[in-house]
Amino acid sequence: MKFATLKSESEDGRLIVVSRDLKHAADASAVALNLQEAVRNWDSCVSQLRALYEQLNAGSLANAFAFDPKQCAAPLPRSPQWCDASAFLNHGRLMERAFNTAPIPDMDTIPLMYQGASDDFLGPHQDVPLPSESDGIDFEGEFGVIVGPVEMGATAEKAEQSIRLLVQINDWSLRVLGPREMRTGFGFLQAKPSCSFAPVAVTPDELGDAWREGRVQLRLHVAWNGERFGEPHGGEMNFSFGQLIAHAARTRRLSAGTIVGSGTVSNVERGAGSACIAERRVIEMIDQGKAETGFMKFGDRVQMVARFADGTAGPFGEIDQRVVEFSR
């Protein structure tokens, strides 16, 4: 199934189902007012939502309408919790060089994860207001999962069974602010403004063979101001989503609607390019002795879309956003 959230007077928006080809949609609020309600009551409403989805794909819904992703908020405009990992160790090792930090003990066996803000996610075509270009504005393309309830101490196998939906994320970063916050030992705050999401959240079966081993086996194509930036593959995660969820739940239960992110998609193969500017900069430092690529300026645009192996667009739709100066 595929879901999206239309902007509405409610902070949680209005739930719609989206056709497999992303061309049509139908209101689903009679089953669940919003996606958070659907995830929270998944067992009692999933059969009704699936029936609606099948009718939409069959063309048998009289009230179907054209799907317009520009009218969408994030699938979950807010959630109980947002936990972001750094599950691509290639990215983490490169970033150690970028921030000149010592290697993190047990990084190969214990996932890195921080808890970010989850009260104000951005939609796929929403302008991104930020206070200053001097903060080092950077995009970060990644994948994520929305889970149902997860019990404390769940195994990775049990945790993977809690996955309700898959999402595509742009986890914005302000790189100049990051090093100081990392040195405090308290984690990110100002360096991590609101995340953005592609318009459509999907059940894992929509990916077919591209969902296996608890990983999204798709390339994430990233363009900056219309120029190719990279298309790293999501299958190179060193930890599965089941392992990431289990890590988050080791000492506490997770409530339905919690989002767990993969961290920046990153591949060892340099030809795949990157999904964030900081990674390109540190590669330039390694290869050329200095970073040449600057960070984003106001008016810059970033586009992200996951694609299947044959090049066709994946199930999430596209993130297409412009960075703008915040004004009161």
Side-chain angles (χ1 to χ4, degrees):
M1 292 181 285
K2 298 185 178 182
F3 300 98
T5 295
L6 292 183
K7 300 171 188 174
S8 75
E9 293 181 358
S10 167
E11 288 184 288
D12 297 304
R14 178 163 58 92
L15 181 64
I16 59 175
V17 293
V18 182
S19 62
R20 188 165 285 111
D21 61 7
L22 304 186
K23 292 183 178 180
H24 301 93
D27 187 275
S29 60
V31 181
L33 288 175
N34 51 64
L35 188 58
Q36 178 63 49
E37 183 178 308
V39 173
R40 190 169 55 244
N41 301 307
W42 191 258
D43 291 341
S44 62
C45 69
V46 65
S47 60
Q48 296 177 72
L49 291 171
R50 189 170 297 282
L52 188 63
Y53 180 64
E54 290 173 354
Q55 291 171 35
L56 176 64
N57 285 308
S60 58
L61 287 178
N63 62 345
F65 53 90
F67 176 57
D68 182 2
K70 293 183 179 179
Q71 301 303 313
C72 290
L76 282 180
R78 56 181 180 168
S79 78
Q81 185 171 204
W82 156 237
C83 297
D84 197 22
S86 183
F88 293 84
L89 295 186
N90 179 66
H91 177 76
R93 290 178 178 127
L94 288 171
M95 297 312 293
E96 284 176 353
R97 303 190 192 188
F99 290 114
N100 193 29
T101 57
I104 298 172
D106 305 315
M107 189 171 73
D108 291 353
T109 55
I110 301 176
L112 300 177
M113 186 175 289
Y114 75 94
Q115 186 179 51
S118 61
D119 59 323
D120 184 33
F121 294 134
L122 302 178
H125 295 274
Q126 188 173 343
D127 282 348
V128 182
L130 293 169
S132 174
E133 292 178 345
S134 65
D135 289 336
I137 302 168
D138 197 357
F139 48 82
E140 287 194 69
E142 59 183 274
F143 297 110
V145 296
I146 301 173
V147 303
V150 182
E151 62 183 13
M152 184 191 304
T155 64
E157 292 74 20
K158 187 71 172 177
E160 187 171 325
Q161 294 173 19
S162 75
I163 296 172
R164 301 290 183 255
L165 297 163
L166 311 177
V167 289
Q168 178 191 311
I169 305 168
N170 182 4
D171 177 36
W172 292 96
S173 290
L174 300 177
R175 297 298 189 185
V176 171
L177 304 180
R180 180 196 170 275
E181 293 189 327
M182 292 173 71
R183 286 194 298 270
T184 67
F186 273 73
F188 296 120
L189 180 66
Q190 294 178 346
K192 287 292 185 179
S194 297
C195 296
S196 304
F197 286 73
V200 181
V202 308
T203 50
D205 60 288
E206 291 291 335
L207 269 65
D209 290 342
W211 173 252
R212 63 180 184 275
E213 300 176 345
R215 295 163 171 83
V216 176
Q217 307 282 344
L218 299 174
R219 289 196 176 275
L220 184 56
H221 291 248
V222 180
W224 180 11
N225 291 329
E227 298 292 329
R228 178 257 185 192
F229 200 81
E231 55 281 327
H233 195 276
E236 207 166 299
M237 277 174 69
N238 295 83
F239 298 95
S240 71
F241 275 110
Q243 291 173 302
L244 297 182
I245 298 164
H247 176 75
R250 182 178 180 271
T251 59
R252 55 179 165 173
R253 63 183 180 86
L254 307 183
S255 57
T258 293
I259 305 172
V260 177
S262 67
T264 306
V265 181
S266 179
N267 292 172
V268 173
E269 171 54 49
R270 295 279 183 85
S274 298
C276 75
I277 299 170
E279 183 172 295
R280 175 180 282 190
R281 284 170 56 86
V282 73
I283 290 172
E284 290 171 345
M285 292 170 62
I286 294 168
D287 291 352
Q288 305 166 30
K290 65 177 181 177
E292 296 183 348
T293 302
F295 291 109
M296 298 185 79
K297 303 294 185 183
F298 294 138
D300 281 5
R301 186 176 296 273
V302 63
Q303 295 167 295
M304 298 181 181
V305 60
R307 295 188 178 277
F308 288 105
D310 62 2
T312 58
F316 305 106
E318 183 179 40
I319 292 173
D320 185 352
Q321 292 185 292
R322 186 173 58 115
V323 175
V324 298
E325 185 174 10
F326 170 74
S327 60
R328 299 186 192 280

